[in-house]
Amino acid sequence: MSAVTGYSRQPLHTDGAHLAEPPRYVVLRCLDPGERSCPTIIGTLDWKAITATKPYALYRAGWRVRPRPYQSFQAKIVDEASTHNRIRYDPICMRPERGGEIAKNATIQILDMYTYLHVHYWKKGEFLILDNWLVLHGRGDGGDQAISRCLERRAYGAV
């Protein structure tokens, strides 16, 4: 995503949304917090409310995932299984098959309704372990003034 956003704020997303099976966990480690504050935003989803209301925009299989250079495939934003729920969302590589920008913006509004935000300010050496199937994350403001900011990212496991 940084290839598209540069040092700017990133939209909330899941890592590996372009993969058939996104990684379960993402571990971030702060090697250098940078010259200025540039937090990571974590979006914790209200899964109880999502599974109770089942918003159509999140549950329909109407999203086209376009990983380059691979073939595109169809996906849902929310997959519900007997053993786990999973969110897959990346506005850079995913597009609604119908409705264009209107459908995309409506889906972002729906996700916002079910998401609680936490702002994490980094200190050197800290780790953050994210369940990539249950939460969203993204870079907050300030990256353009924290040029030496460096987070190491590792992805683990797909079931």
Side-chain angles (χ1 to χ4, degrees), residues 29-91:
R29 180 171 67 128
C30 181
L31 301 177
D32 186 340
E35 298 78 9
R36 304 260 192 225
S37 177
C38 180
T40 293
I41 312 298
I42 302 159
T44 303
L45 297 166
D46 183 348
W47 282 100
K48 186 175 182 180
I50 289 173
T51 56
T53 59
K54 295 191 181 342
Y56 178 74
L58 303 183
Y59 278 81
R60 70 181 170 96
W63 287 80
R64 182 62 47 186
V65 180
R66 293 190 174 103
R68 293 183 190 123
Y70 311 106
Q71 288 185 338
S72 67
F73 59 93
Q74 192 179 55
K76 300 177 189 178
I77 291 176
V78 171
D79 275 329
E80 195 174 35
S82 60
T83 57
H84 64 274
N85 292 318
R86 178 178 68 199
I87 187 159
R88 171 199 305 268
Y89 184 69
D90 182 334

Side-chain angles (χ1 to χ4, degrees), residues 3 21 23 29 37 40 58 111 120 130 134:
E21 189 74 17
R29 180 171 67 128
S37 177
T40 293
L58 303 183
L111 277 172
H120 181 77
L130 303 173
L134 299 179

Side-chain angles (χ1 to χ4, degrees), residues 26-30 40 42 118 120 122 126-130:
V26 173
V27 178
L28 301 173
R29 180 171 67 128
C30 181
T40 293
I42 302 159
H118 170 76
H120 181 77
W122 289 100
E126 283 185 323
F127 284 86
L128 192 59
I129 301 171
L130 303 173

